[in-house]
Amino acid sequence: MGEFDLIARYFTRPTPRAVLGVGDDCALLQPAPGTQLAISSDMLVEGRHFFADVDPGALGHKALAVNLSDLAACGARPLAFTLALALPRVDERWLAGFSGGLLALADAHGCELVGGDTTQGPLNICITVFGEVPVVGGQGRALLRAGARAGDDVYVSGTLGDARLALDALRGRIALPAGLLAQARARLERPTPRVALGQALRGVATAALDVSDGLLGDLGHLLGKSRVGATLDTSLAIELLASRAHPAWAARLFSLKMQLECVLAGGDDYELAFTAPASARDAVQAAARQAATPVTRIGRIDAAPGLRLVDGQGRPVAGRYASFDHFA
Ligand code: ADP
Ligand code: MG
């Protein structure tokens, strides 16, 4: 099978929303009147972002999910994406699985594959997504990292830390009972981009971003852009680890320190972290209900820069939790 047959068979689909999809030199998109385009790229490299033997359907899902998560963080509605793919060889079983996982998630979000590039080389997947955000009164309504104010609440969507738990298990660093590993592994391999929540939070949240490298590091970016600090309650944050509620969870196996390490510094969660004034608590919960995505308040924004960890009684919690950094 040649390059063009491969594109036609696995990556060419009807694109009713795009003006022009796969097959020409450019795709053509028409953003709705009164919207701005939100654009983001993410690259996945074998051995770096995924194991060589990962299920191809899960990989296709994740490759798009991490990009949709960036749109979600900005409160954008997905529109289209392009796929740049380097493949070591043509493996039709792999291609069918990969494109199946990829396009199922694309369909679920009405996000159309409109073009890309295909080349031979070490497995590498690069996706660029395009989304729309409304412009109201000449002002774009995207959620940004800047905008958090002293006194705002700090929230996180869904659950945190389970992807890291799975990663540690798959690397043989810890042992997890089978049922628990399956649950945690689903979080690592098939993350859920919080697309509906991001859109519901427009006009409610003061700042937002998605948690891809670890909560403390990512939140640090939001605090930096907003020129504020924060205090997080670790007794609330630790409850975000979904594995704790699994029947097979044996807390004695995992120290509190390790659980906090997963929640505060584990990457690959693709949840949203965001801030909103205390006066918007009802509006935040209404947005969460509308998006059918739970959100948890875990702290507050301070005027003083820096990130402080406290326990349930407000006493300082010691410890350093480093987020993932490719070049650190
Ligand atoms: P060009 O000659 O402009 O580089 P190509 O010959 O690489 O274009 O690709 C032909 C068409 O197929 C283009 O419309 C391109 O966007 C599309 N395409 C190439 N690879 C992919 C892919 N992996 N997924 C989706 N569309 C692709
Ligand atoms: Mg061309």
Side-chain angles (χ1 to χ4, degrees), residues 48-107:
R48 197 74 223 169
H49 300 96
F50 57 91
F51 296 110
D53 62 351
V54 71
D55 173 69
L59 185 59
H61 172 101
K62 184 162 179 174
L64 183 59
V66 304
N67 279 277
L68 290 174
S69 179
D70 286 318
L71 290 185
C74 288
R77 173 179 183 236
L79 178 60
F81 70 106
T82 59
L83 168 68
L85 193 59
L87 296 170
R89 72 196 77 82
V90 175
D91 173 346
E92 291 218 49
R93 245 195 73 238
W94 189 92
L95 278 163
F98 176 80
S99 67
L102 178 87
L103 295 172
L105 185 65
D107 287 348

Side-chain angles (χ1 to χ4, degrees), residues 268-319:
D268 268 335
D269 297 301
Y270 300 99
E271 294 293 351
L272 299 185
F274 61 96
T275 58
S279 60
R281 281 182 190 172
D282 289 347
V284 167
Q285 291 306 328
R289 275 195 305 278
Q290 189 194 324
T293 306
V295 303
T296 306
R297 183 157 53 88
I298 59 163
R300 62 150 205 280
I301 296 294
D302 307 321
L307 206 83
R308 287 156 290 278
L309 301 177
V310 297
D311 66 14
Q313 280 74 51
R315 292 175 304 214
V317 169

Side-chain angles (χ1 to χ4, degrees), residues 100-127:
L102 178 87
L103 295 172
L105 185 65
D107 287 348
H109 290 281
C111 192
E112 297 177 344
L113 176 55
V114 294
D117 198 26
T118 306
T119 168
Q120 197 270 332
L123 184 56
N124 190 319
I125 303 153
C126 183
I127 287 180

Side-chain angles (χ1 to χ4, degrees), residues 28 50 134 145 199 225 231:
L28 297 172
F50 57 91
R145 296 177 176 188
Q199 292 173 79
K225 284 275 188 192
T231 302

